[in-house]
Amino acid sequence: MIRPNSTIKAISAGEPFIGPERIMRERGLDSMLRLGANESAFGPSPRAIAAMSAELPHLAWYGDPDSHALRGALAERWATLLDDILITSGIDELLGLVVRCYLEPGETAVTAAGTYPTFAYHVLGYGGRVESVAYCEDGTIDLDALASAAQRCNAAICYLANPDNPSGSFVDAEAIARFRAALPARTLLLLDEAYAEFADPASVPERRAMLGIVRARTFSKLYGMAGARIGYAVAPQALLAPLLKVRLQYGVNRNAQIGALAALGDEPFASDVLERTARGRAAYGALGQELGLPTLPSATNFVCFDCSSRERADVVLEALLRRGVWTRKPGRAPLDRCVRVTVGDEAAQAHFAAELRAVCSRVTA
Ligand SMILES: *Cc1c(COP(=O)(O)O)cnc(C)c1O
């Protein structure tokens, strides 16, 4: 009998993400407003597109397994050593590498119940156990409960997204330092900063490698390169060295490395995206107020509209989808009363506002 190993066999065949392509196929739609995956509405920087296009003829070559040029640019930006930076095929790959290297099968990792799911998915895949703690009623992460759980389980890894997805909530550098100090010394803090660029720069932990922490960054959100699959870790070299033993040497797309380097060099573009996103968040806030769906504070490129009950949120999500607007909603209480909507560009914002108004007039009528 050919069969998968017992770890894999024990996992139920659920999928963390159902892509919009499948939803369109199943519903027979040929277009949809994509506001469900926090993809950038502003696309990659024109400089990234130009650099990647120019290099396409060299797609026969593997990418530099050292990602030397990109790591060099990041090391300068972070005022850190080259070896404190590791390029990966997105944060999602990095999460798997950290779990594989730092969690023994049977050991426990802790996280918030209903946060970004890829971490827990890797923990199960490598034979670990997930201990999760509920969000506070206001949708923020209960850091005290998370630290207690890590102490109780002697956790190998603690995963925290800051800013968080799906809530959008954010804690400042001091809170992160206190939280690190409250974790057991043996617990690795895996700090997912996919949205850090959208938060107040004065409150984000400063750009440096931090003891006992692997910081995860991506080009998928601010830089609009989700389809290219590229991100990076910043951590003391000693924490990253084990990952080098098992990572795929050619796992990072060559063209993605080139595009990421060009994107980093286009600061005016990134500032423009940040400004337009901040305006969009404010516009969503006003829209929520108008419609009686108050929004949660967000330090990201998405906003949660509070529909006050899970049932009502389900109805709003489905009604939007029927009108060709794809959003997502958190799966676990207390956030499952919300619908999470990516901040689109100005046209997408107007389109979304019109559809949400139409949906609300029907739901309440
Ligand atoms: C979108 C997202 C990611 C995905 O990052 P990739 O670099 O595209 O793999 C990781 N973490 C969080 C919290 C996200 O929302």
Side-chain angles (χ1 to χ4, degrees):
M1 266 281 269
I2 300 174
R3 55 179 150 207
N5 69 45
S6 53
T7 300
I8 301 302
K9 230 168 96 185
I11 302 174
S12 58
E15 284 170 77
F17 301 109
I18 307 257
E21 292 79 6
R22 185 195 297 178
I23 293 170
M24 288 171 68
R25 223 163 44 236
E26 289 178 352
R27 298 197 175 222
L29 302 170
D30 38 42
S31 77
M32 223 168 49
L33 187 60
R34 285 172 78 119
L35 301 177
N38 306 333
E39 295 157 325
S40 175
F42 309 100
S45 140
R47 286 200 216 166
I49 294 174
M52 292 169 90
S53 305
E55 283 291 332
L56 274 177
H58 290 141
L59 214 46
W61 298 349
Y62 289 104
D64 173 8
D66 297 325
S67 300
H68 194 269
L70 180 57
R71 277 199 304 146
L74 287 168
E76 194 171 315
R77 199 183 173 82
W78 283 72
T80 183
L81 302 171
L82 227 60
D83 288 338
D84 293 346
I85 293 179
L86 173 67
I87 310 298
T88 60
S89 162
I91 290 178
D92 286 1
E93 185 200 17
L94 173 64
L95 301 180
L97 282 171
V98 169
V99 169
R100 187 176 173 193
C101 291
Y102 284 97
L103 186 89
E104 302 279 359
E107 277 195 316
T108 301
V110 297
T111 186
T115 187
Y116 187 69
T118 310
F119 173 72
Y121 165 86
H122 285 302
V123 172
L124 297 181
Y126 286 109
R129 298 177 345 109
V130 178
E131 176 77 19
S132 57
V133 306
Y135 280 80
C136 301
E137 197 43 42
D138 66 358
T140 58
I141 291 181
D142 190 340
L143 290 179
D144 293 335
L146 200 53
S148 304
Q151 293 281 359
R152 196 172 59 245
C153 307
N154 190 27
I157 307 174
C158 174
Y159 170 83
L160 176 68
N162 188 51
D164 177 56
N165 178 9
S167 66
S169 66
F170 170 71
V171 296
D172 67 13
E174 275 173 41
I176 292 294
R178 274 198 307 275
F179 180 64
R180 171 61 268 187
L183 292 173
R186 69 136 325 190
T187 304
L188 183 151
L189 173 55
L190 182 45
L191 189 61
D192 183 338
E193 300 184 315
Y195 301 97
E197 296 93 343
F198 295 99
D200 169 15
S203 305
V204 175
E206 64 177 275
R207 283 197 196 127
R208 62 182 174 84
M210 294 161 75
L211 283 180
I213 305 182
V214 172
R215 302 175 68 176
R217 295 286 182 117
T218 184
F219 288 92
S220 293
K221 304 285 160 58
L222 172 62
Y223 295 100
M225 294 178 57
R229 311 301 309 127
I230 187 159
Y232 59 100
V234 182
Q237 176 184 0
L239 279 182
L240 295 180
L243 280 60
L244 299 181
K245 298 183 190 174
V246 294
R247 77 190 177 104
L248 290 181
Q249 297 297 307
Y250 295 121
V252 183
N253 183 311
R254 177 175 192 277
N255 225 334
Q257 296 187 38
I258 288 159
L261 183 60
L264 274 184
D266 195 351
E267 299 217 354
F269 179 82
S271 325
D272 185 56
V273 172
L274 287 176
E275 237 171 74
R276 293 166 75 185
T277 305
R279 278 204 299 273
R281 275 194 314 238
Y284 277 9
L287 178 68
Q289 200 149 31
E290 170 197 324
L291 297 173
L293 306 174
T295 52
L296 270 48
S298 168
T300 65
N301 70 345
F302 61 83
V303 170
C304 275
F305 289 81
D306 189 339
C307 302
S308 70
S309 75
R310 177 194 185 112
E311 292 69 28
R312 186 149 177 254
D314 284 338
V315 169
V316 169
L317 183 92
E318 175 60 26
L320 282 169
L321 192 53
R322 281 172 189 263
R323 306 179 70 93
V325 179
W326 177 60
T327 60
R328 275 207 180 107
K329 68 185 287 294
R332 301 278 295 262
L335 285 164
D336 60 350
R337 62 176 196 254
C338 297
V339 173
R340 189 198 70 184
V341 188
T342 308
V343 174
D345 60 13
E346 292 73 8
Q349 287 169 34
H351 182 170
F352 170 70
E355 297 297 349
L356 188 63
R357 284 190 186 103
V359 162
C360 285
S361 66
R362 287 181 181 217
V363 169
T364 43

